Amino acid sequence: MTRVAKKTAGAAPSRSANRTRGEYTLTLGGRPYLLRPSFSAQVAIETALDKSYFELAAAAQVAALRIDHASVIVTELVNAGAEDPMDKISAERAGEMIYEAGMPSIAPVLAVLLIDALSGGRTASGEAKAVATQ
């Protein structure tokens, strides 16, 4: 089962998702993985896939995201949020777990995360920017 949550049961990443940073938790293979959409992760994803974040978010929204693209996205976002080397994953393993979970359960989580990251409301490290006052 795949879900978005602040905390999940079972083996946990070294820390919980921080919604102020735009982080989410994605459960794959019965284990929660922390996804952090940092600037460096976004650049790595766009470079590896030769696609813009916008194109990837749009594909995720309409369930047209390729499994190999989803595996790169998940890998970069998990590894960006991993403080413990044991929390990191490879693109091959991410792809296997995504395949087992099914793309229809993964795509909505990635769509929300990618759209959130596109909002422009984050610093390069992923922290939420202060709300402007008039």
Side-chain angles (χ1 to χ4, degrees):
M1 175 179 200
T2 303
R3 58 188 163 156
V4 178
K6 287 187 181 183
K7 293 185 180 182
T8 57
S14 58
R15 64 181 175 79
S16 297
N18 180 338
R19 292 305 306 263
T20 304
R21 288 183 176 150
E23 296 172 342
Y24 291 83
T25 301
L26 178 66
T27 301
L28 293 169
R31 181 188 188 283
Y33 288 91
L34 178 72
L35 304 176
R36 184 168 196 201
S38 68
F39 173 75
S40 60
Q42 181 173 338
V43 169
I45 290 165
E46 290 180 330
T47 300
L49 301 178
D50 196 28
K51 299 276 185 194
S52 72
Y53 235 48
F54 182 82
E55 290 173 291
L56 296 167
Q61 282 185 309
V62 297
L65 191 62
R66 293 172 30 172
I67 195 166
D68 59 332
H69 288 184
S71 66
V72 169
I73 293 166
V74 168
T75 300
E76 292 298 337
L77 297 174
V78 166
N79 293 345
E83 292 179 346
D84 182 338
M86 296 301 293
D87 291 336
K88 292 189 175 190
I89 61 172
S90 69
E92 181 179 359
R93 181 63 186 133
E96 291 169 351
M97 290 187 295
I98 291 166
Y99 177 79
E100 291 169 2
M103 281 299 293
S105 65
I106 302 301
V109 176
L110 295 181
V112 170
L113 185 146
L114 294 169
I115 291 166
D116 186 34
L118 283 170
S119 70
R122 308 256 172 237
T123 65
S125 65
E127 302 288 334
K129 291 181 184 176
V131 176
T133 58
Q134 294 184 5

